[in-house]
Amino acid sequence: MRIPEENKNRAFDKGIVKNFIKIKYVFSWLSLALLCVAAFIPNRIRDFVAVLIASILSFLPLTPRRVAYANMRTAFPDLSAKECRALYRKSLAVGFSVTLAYAEPSVLPRFLLKRRWKLVGEENLNKALSLKKPIIFVAPHCFAIDRCGLYLSFCGINMCTMVHAQRNPVYDWFLNQQRLRFGGAVYERSSGLRTLIRELKNGRSCFFLPDEDLGRESSRFINFLGVPKATVSTLPKLAKVTDAVTMQLFSVYNLKTANFEVHFSKPFENFPSNDLEHDLSVMNQHIEQELLLHREQYMWFLRFFKTRPDESYPDIYENTHLSLLKKGKSIDYAARRRPFVENG
């Protein structure tokens, strides 16, 4: 792995695992061992267990459920309470199915891994590759994002990615060594945008997470599912300065076929333009097109609408930390969808 000299201390180093061979991490290693065993259990059996766990947990009034319900009520005002519960339950089933399969890329041989991927829109990927330019893969927060993203380095595309460190260093090491099994580079987010630009200019392709809420300073409020959302404004600038092709990679775990589906959009046309808000709208529209077809794949427990345009918009997450003994405030979720026009 080639590492820019000034970023060597920030790139992932497989050798750090020796720092985690300690008693305090014994339960972390045991859990990883169980996942490695689970990798050899037939997919259908694992998925049955995942659906069973999801069915039980979906009834518990935990904070992730409350956040998910708030997101769903805001993004899909026409969904009934029953439909929200069903969507949340199916989303949990997908999440647990992906989790139980997490060790597969670390322990299974290549030919078995290849059988688990199904490509949708492979011709779009081939078209982008034929341009002989680096590619920025816009990858929304779906449960199977790591597994589907791994396909790119598996098939020989020279990739790099920037990640947030996990709180548990053992899990962090496990995920990052898996990301590097077929080559590429992994950097901490603290390495900065210059590192990503340098890697793209040197011919690597990369992932870009478009739906994070990073606050007001680095964002523009652009409609997403009909909701004014703080949308990271980096992508058009990144594509322009590196002359990269931009396309979406949408990750799906299909519970019916037990396959990981990698959905490639067509390369974004005339992107970037000279209109930043237009470009960000194009990006969000691409996400919406796939998301509306695969709602259960999305990580609804994340606070996608945390940053509000101004104080007149309701905080849809206000009640998510209340105990069962306290009655929350009435929240007007429809008001969070009110159109917003930025000044200037």
Side-chain angles (χ1 to χ4, degrees), residues 29-248:
W29 288 112
L30 284 175
S31 65
L32 291 182
L34 289 174
L35 284 178
C36 290
V37 172
F40 295 97
I41 297 175
N43 309 332
R44 299 293 187 180
I45 296 177
R46 287 204 312 259
D47 289 354
F48 175 80
V49 173
V51 171
L52 185 62
I53 295 173
S55 298
I56 296 171
L57 290 184
S58 65
F59 288 102
L60 301 181
L62 304 174
T63 296
R65 189 183 80 162
R66 293 171 176 173
V67 173
Y69 281 7
N71 283 332
M72 293 172 188
R73 289 169 182 166
T74 304
F76 308 120
D78 295 332
L79 284 188
S80 65
K82 182 178 180 180
E83 289 171 324
C84 282
R85 288 193 295 270
L87 176 56
Y88 177 66
R89 184 166 55 251
K90 192 170 183 180
S91 179
L92 277 182
V94 170
F96 281 115
S97 294
V98 171
T99 300
L100 292 176
Y102 240 114
E104 285 186 347
S106 294
V107 299
L108 293 186
R110 289 181 66 104
F111 77 93
L112 286 180
L113 284 177
K114 187 175 182 179
R115 288 169 53 183
R116 296 276 274 143
W117 280 305
K118 178 182 178 183
L119 305 187
V120 179
E122 184 177 9
E123 69 280 2
N124 297 326
L125 174 62
N126 291 334
K127 180 180 179 180
L129 291 172
S130 70
L131 298 175
K132 305 298 182 182
K133 294 182 178 182
I135 304 173
I136 300 175
F137 292 95
V138 177
H141 278 83
C142 298
F143 289 106
I145 183 173
D146 275 311
R147 183 61 174 276
C148 291
L150 190 62
Y151 172 79
L152 299 174
S153 55
F154 176 88
C155 70
I157 300 176
N158 196 7
M159 296 294 300
C160 72
T161 187
M162 286 190 167
V163 297
H164 279 302
Q166 302 291 315
R167 292 182 180 178
N168 186 310
V170 174
Y171 295 155
D172 189 59
W173 169 84
F174 179 77
L175 290 174
N176 285 325
Q177 63 81 27
Q178 190 176 93
R179 290 165 178 150
L180 292 174
R181 178 179 175 182
F182 305 111
V186 174
Y187 291 97
E188 286 284 350
R189 185 68 61 86
S190 59
S191 296
L193 192 60
R194 290 184 179 180
T195 298
L196 190 57
I197 291 173
R198 185 181 297 113
E199 291 292 294
L200 286 167
K201 287 186 174 181
N202 286 333
R204 290 192 192 270
S205 297
C206 75
F207 299 103
F208 182 85
L209 304 179
D211 47 357
E212 290 184 293
D213 187 330
L214 298 181
R216 188 181 306 275
E217 292 184 4
S218 58
S219 305
R220 292 287 189 95
F221 284 96
I222 306 295
N223 271 10
F224 179 62
L225 297 171
V227 184
K229 180 188 182 305
T231 303
V232 180
S233 60
T234 310
L235 179 63
K237 303 171 187 176
L238 185 63
K240 183 176 183 179
V241 75
T242 60
D243 191 31
V245 179
T246 306
M247 65 189 304
Q248 180 178 216

Side-chain angles (χ1 to χ4, degrees), residues 284-300:
N284 282 355
Q285 287 165 13
H286 274 86
I287 302 171
E288 290 174 353
Q289 288 172 10
E290 288 289 345
L291 177 55
L292 293 175
L293 296 174
H294 308 284
R295 297 181 183 186
E296 74 285 352
Q297 304 295 326
Y298 209 45
M299 296 181 182
W300 291 109

